């Protein structure tokens, strides 16, 4: 497996799975260049259909992880990791940055802040966070936008006897290795405007954010948190 960085794009290639029941591959991303896990990552490409064994994605500093899935949804035991440690400054000149953590003072729905972490409220499987900060470029420009999101998956069943249901129905490995789950994720969405974000501009509808070029004066963001467990 490898990543070739060409003008801000990462050309990922990997050894294809030869199983006849292969359905697709899933690619996740973590900003960590060391210690990244499949569980503590976000979906970058949810489905790369067979027989493809390569894809072009935004060049991001961190770790790309790839897993194969069969036709009934079973995933490969381990993820293939591809590390890109080329700094983002090589691809772009930083103009401005907005940071939401650790306060996360934007509008929260079905989520809350605990110990400087934004997490789903108890009993919720989906939540929304509207960023408190926006970007104003002062004029309409074509700008390249990137995002860094750190995800931590926590299993709140801390004791063996606390687990409900049948033992054989539990996901993961017996020894507790929880770094291969894909049941939590965070998706970032973007909305743009050609007007002054500090006024009362007309904003576009939110659409899923992908690292890349956007033309507008102002940008706002929201995050959707999901958990399948």
């Amino acid at each position: 497996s490898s990543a070739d960085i060409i003008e801000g794009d990462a050309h990922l290639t990997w050894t294809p799975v030869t199983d006849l029941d292969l359905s697709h591959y899933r690619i996740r991303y973590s900003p960590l260049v060391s210690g990244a896990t499949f569980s503590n990552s976000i979906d970058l490409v949810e489905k790369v259909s067979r027989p493809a064994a390569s894809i072009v994605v935004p060049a991001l500093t961190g770790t790309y992880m790839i897993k194969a899935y069969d036709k009934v949804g079973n995933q490969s035991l381990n993820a293939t990791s591809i590390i890109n440690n080329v700094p983002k400054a090589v691809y772009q000149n930083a103009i401005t940055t907005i940071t939401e953590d650790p306060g996360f003072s934007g509008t929260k729905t079905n989520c809350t802040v605990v110990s400087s972490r934004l997490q789903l409220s108890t009993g919720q499987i989906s939540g929304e966070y509207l960023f408190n900060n926006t970007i104003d470029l002062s004029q309409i420009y074509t700008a390249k936008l990137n995002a860094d999101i750190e995800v931590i998956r926590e299993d709140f069943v801390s004791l063996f006897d606390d687990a409900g249901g049948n033992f054989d129905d539990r996901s993961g490995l017996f020894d507790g290795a929880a770094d291969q789950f894909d049941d939590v994720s965070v998706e970032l969405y973007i909305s743009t405007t050609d007007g002054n974000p500090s006024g009362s501009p007309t904003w576009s509808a939110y659409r899923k954010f992908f690292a890349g070029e956007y033309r507008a004066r102002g940008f706002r963001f929201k995050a959707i948190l999901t958990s399948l467990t």
Side-chain angles (χ1 to χ4, degrees):
S1 59
S2 64
D4 297 314
I5 308 302
I6 303 174
E7 295 183 351
D9 291 327
H11 296 248
L12 305 182
T13 58
W14 59 90
T15 302
V17 172
T18 58
D19 294 29
L20 295 178
D21 63 344
L22 171 66
S23 170
H24 63 276
Y25 302 93
R26 186 174 185 175
I27 300 174
R28 305 194 104 193
Y29 164 76
S30 168
L32 301 176
V33 296
S34 176
T37 67
F38 200 72
S39 297
N40 295 345
S41 303
I42 62 172
D43 285 328
L44 188 62
V45 182
E46 293 185 9
K47 187 174 183 179
V48 181
S49 298
R50 60 178 302 179
S54 65
I55 193 172
V56 178
V57 295
L60 304 170
T61 304
T63 305
Y64 301 96
M65 279 160 285
I66 306 165
K67 271 198 173 191
Y69 289 74
D70 66 19
K71 294 180 180 179
V72 295
N74 296 315
Q75 59 179 283
S76 54
L77 182 60
N78 297 305
T80 293
S81 297
I82 303 176
I83 297 174
N84 174 34
N85 55 14
V86 179
K88 290 180 182 177
V90 173
Y91 325 132
Q92 60 190 32
N93 294 320
I95 302 299
T96 187
T97 300
I98 59 173
T99 303
E100 294 293 301
D101 70 299
F104 296 102
S105 54
T107 302
K108 294 173 280 290
T109 303
N110 295 335
C111 55
T112 187
V113 178
V114 178
S115 300
S116 300
R117 295 178 180 175
L118 181 68
Q119 66 181 46
L120 289 171
S121 301
T122 302
Q124 301 296 326
I125 62 173
S126 179
E128 179 181 273
Y129 174 71
L130 297 175
F131 280 37
N132 183 60
N133 300 293
T134 60
I135 293 176
D136 183 3
L137 299 180
S138 74
Q139 296 184 48
I140 298 174
Y141 290 105
T142 298
K144 177 169 286 187
L145 305 182
N146 287 301
D148 278 340
I149 301 175
E150 183 178 353
V151 177
I152 299 176
R153 181 190 186 277
E154 295 184 348
D155 192 339
F156 291 101
V157 179
S158 57
L159 299 177
F160 185 88
D161 289 340
D162 290 339
N166 296 323
F167 179 83
D168 289 341
D169 292 338
R170 292 283 294 168
S171 301
L173 302 176
F174 179 83
D175 62 4
D179 59 351
Q180 300 297 333
F181 288 98
D182 62 356
D183 52 4
V184 298
S185 190
V186 178
E187 290 184 322
L188 193 62
Y189 288 78
I190 186 172
S191 171
T192 63
T193 182
D194 290 342
N196 184 351
S198 300
S200 300
T202 299
W203 290 93
S204 71
Y206 278 101
R207 61 191 187 275
K208 192 170 181 179
F209 173 82
F210 297 94
E213 294 183 346
Y214 295 84
R215 182 170 179 80
R217 169 175 170 169
F219 307 88
R220 63 181 182 177
F221 304 89
K222 71 176 181 179
I224 302 296
L225 292 69
T226 56
S227 174
L228 300 180
T229 58

